[in-house]
Amino acid sequence: GNSVTQMEGPVTLSEEAFLTINCTYTATGYPSLFWYVQYPGEGLQLLLKATKADDKGSNKGFEATYRKETTSFHLEKGSVQVSDSAVYFCALSHNTDKLIFGTGTRLQVFP
Amino acid sequence: GAGVSQSPSNKVTEKGKDVELRCDPISGHTALYWYRQSLGQGLEFLIYFQGNSAPDKSGLPSDRFSAERTGGSVSTLTIQRTQQEDSAVYLCASSSNRGKETQYFGPGTRLLVL
């Protein structure tokens, strides 16, 4: 069946460090891929998405590229800020079908 | 415009009681989803409504869980005879009818079963 695997956290970084959170998926066909973020005390927000192979999603300095050959959608940011501290969820879906989430990765950025 | 809203924001109940959780989707969104976020299980899909089609109930964990969507808008998730393992944050999301559209989440209802 369909599934998403992402690296366990917490990921602890200093401000301005480079961030990578790995995400790989197993799915039939060509799912859409998403990164959602949950800031402390807030609800889930879409961070970025990609709907087909080789697409790059980007938002707020974060990027992820849909790699079908490696079934991956790794999240990257060149220079993290304290305000990026949150839990990040990788997810997939087929059209308007349900989202299948990874377990989430907590990012902690210290000044 | 207004986002997805959920009520109540917090609910404490005693084991064995029934609870109802409400979701108001974004106006015009025809797809509505319920998810559950708990410490042990992460984010799990529960049920999905799309327009007038029969709902996808494949994620409901037991027959104590049910959901309705009246008039294609507001949805109510009902948990009967609550158990302590039902304690979680229940999230609602909605999306437009078009394929591959983003799901927008509400703030959730935090349920605690004592």
Side-chain angles (χ1 to χ4, degrees):
Chain A
N2 299 328
S3 66
V4 175
T5 302
Q6 60 182 108
M7 60 190 292
E8 290 198 21
V11 173
T12 304
L13 295 173
S14 298
E15 208 164 23
E16 300 183 4
F18 184 85
L19 168 72
T20 300
I21 300 178
N22 290 336
C23 171
T24 57
Y25 68 91
T26 301
T28 55
Y30 300 91
S32 294
L33 301 174
F34 305 82
W35 277 100
Y36 278 84
V37 59
Q38 190 171 35
Y39 296 103
E42 297 185 17
L44 273 172
Q45 302 174 26
L46 178 69
L47 180 60
L48 53 84
K49 69 177 184 180
T51 57
K52 61 183 188 295
D54 300 325
D55 267 4
K56 178 185 282 187
S58 60
N59 186 27
K60 299 182 180 180
F62 290 89
E63 293 182 340
T65 301
Y66 189 139
R67 301 284 188 202
K68 187 153 182 67
E69 63 276 13
T70 54
T71 61
S72 65
F73 193 55
H74 304 321
L75 182 68
E76 296 183 336
K77 185 174 186 181
S79 176
V80 293
Q81 304 301 310
V82 173
S83 57
D84 294 326
S85 298
V87 181
Y88 292 81
F89 293 91
C90 186
L92 68 82
S93 78
H94 287 278
N95 293 328
T96 56
D97 206 349
K98 58 185 176 283
L99 282 165
I100 296 170
F101 288 92
T103 52
T105 302
R106 182 175 300 278
L107 171 65
Q108 297 174 322
V109 181
F110 293 95
Chain B
V4 178
S5 61
Q6 293 185 245
S7 60
S9 53
N10 290 280
K11 176 73 176 178
V12 181
T13 190
E14 293 179 350
K15 178 181 171 181
K17 296 287 178 78
D18 297 352
V19 295
E20 285 190 350
L21 312 179
R22 177 187 168 104
C23 172
D24 268 289
I26 293 172
S27 177
H29 279 188
T30 58
L32 186 147
Y33 310 77
W34 284 98
Y35 296 87
R36 178 169 71 172
Q37 186 175 20
S38 57
L39 279 178
Q41 302 297 323
L43 272 158
E44 307 170 274
F45 163 77
L46 297 177
I47 187 169
Y48 159 48
F49 297 89
Q50 173 62 64
N52 295 322
S53 304
D56 175 356
K57 304 180 182 180
S58 61
L60 294 178
S62 78
D63 58 8
R64 297 186 295 104
F65 288 72
S66 63
E68 289 184 338
R69 188 176 186 195
T70 54
S73 181
V74 171
S75 177
T76 302
L77 177 70
T78 301
I79 309 173
Q80 296 178 311
R81 305 182 302 281
T82 52
Q83 304 294 312
Q84 288 181 331
E85 61 263 29
D86 299 335
S87 297
V89 177
Y90 289 82
L91 297 170
C92 177
S94 71
S95 71
S96 69
N97 190 33
R98 293 171 292 169
K100 301 190 178 183
E101 286 301 311
T102 299
Q103 293 182 30
Y104 295 90
F105 283 80
T109 294
R110 186 175 298 275
L111 174 66
L112 177 61
V113 182
L114 300 176

